[in-house]
Amino acid sequence: MKLRDALIFRLLAGIAAGIAIGIAASHFEMTALLRAIKTAEELFGEFLKFLIPLIILGFVTPGIIDIGDRAGRMLLVTVSFALGSTLAGGFAAYAAGSALTDFITGGTLTAADGALIKPAFTIAISPPLPVFTALVLSFLLGLFCAGKKETVFARLFMELKGIMDAVIRRIIIPALPFYIGSLFVSLSASGKIVPILSSFGRLYLVIIALQFAFVALEYAAAGI
């Protein structure tokens, strides 16, 4: 894979381009360009929120179906471990964030001015289901269809998995650098990009350190 084709490279390029465009557009008062970018950002954000429940249904349900007849016990164990890990990680993150607030923010809490740029228009795309509802429904339908791959429901969700996989590969991933870049256009146009990037850098240092520590603990527990 060439470097320019790697997603992380395209994301970083999108961030750099977004910062440059935001600063230039703000300096030269290119309000129409900023509003157009903000409009595209809002529309893509609505599209993402619409897709999340469908992605859950399209991947979680077929995953449970593929497990087969032992899906019930395996799902119970998996969910128990996942819930315990999530709670432990959440409490650890809260404790670290509370203890390191001054380090992360640099001693000042800086908020971007979200009211600076207004989209030209917005279109609300309501998701078909709330996220947690989609997750519970995926569990129920997956358990019902486990070991019954020839049922209508099972074939339906296998088809949905293929559709969602194609949407992610052909739409979401190619558009993601532009979406991330548009977010940084708004941030840099607000004139607060330097303190925000500084806070982001310190925040990611904390996140990566916690991630390594947490993964090491999980592997140690699994090894024991």
Side-chain angles (χ1 to χ4, degrees):
M1 179 187 291
K2 295 181 180 179
L3 179 61
R4 66 175 181 270
D5 296 329
L7 180 59
I8 185 64
F9 177 79
R10 287 184 284 149
L11 289 175
L12 292 174
I15 291 172
I19 293 172
I21 292 171
I23 293 173
S26 177
H27 179 74
F28 293 106
E29 298 184 355
M30 302 168 67
T31 307
L33 175 62
L34 291 174
R35 293 190 69 187
I37 293 173
K38 186 67 176 179
T39 302
E41 174 195 326
E42 293 283 339
L43 291 175
F44 191 74
E46 289 289 324
F47 181 61
L48 281 180
K49 288 189 289 185
F50 167 78
L51 281 180
I52 288 173
L54 297 177
I55 291 173
I56 292 172
L57 286 171
F59 284 97
V60 175
T61 307
I64 297 173
I65 293 172
D66 283 337
I67 294 174
D69 296 332
R70 299 182 62 185
R73 283 170 289 178
M74 189 175 292
L75 183 63
L76 178 62
V77 172
T78 303
V79 169
S80 299
F81 276 115
L83 183 60
S85 176
T86 301
L87 289 174
F91 283 122
Y94 176 77
S98 300
L100 299 173
T101 299
D102 288 340
F103 168 74
I104 293 171
T105 62
T108 59
L109 291 174
T110 304
D113 188 358
L116 181 64
I117 305 171
K118 296 289 187 182
F121 63 91
T122 58
I123 299 176
I125 309 175
S126 301
L129 292 169
V131 171
F132 195 74
T133 302
L135 186 61
V136 173
L137 185 60
S138 297
F139 287 162
L140 291 176
L141 292 174
L143 289 172
F144 174 77
C145 297
K148 305 173 184 176
K149 294 185 179 182
E150 299 305 317
T151 62
V152 175
F153 267 131
R155 292 198 301 271
L156 172 66
F157 285 106
M158 292 299 177
E159 289 288 337
L160 180 60
K161 178 183 178 181
I163 293 171
M164 289 298 103
D165 181 65
V167 168
I168 290 171
R169 286 188 293 104
R170 297 178 185 179
I171 300 177
I172 302 299
I173 292 178
L176 201 56
F178 299 97
Y179 178 63
I180 299 299
S182 69
L183 294 175
F184 277 86
V185 169
S186 301
L187 291 175
S188 57
S190 70
K192 298 178 179 179
I193 190 63
V194 173
I196 289 171
L197 284 179
S198 178
S199 294
F200 275 5
R202 289 190 289 267
L203 174 63
Y204 276 104
L205 284 177
V206 174
I207 289 174
I208 292 170
L210 286 174
Q211 193 77 18
F212 274 114
F214 203 66
V215 170
L217 287 173
E218 288 181 327
Y219 271 92
I224 292 171

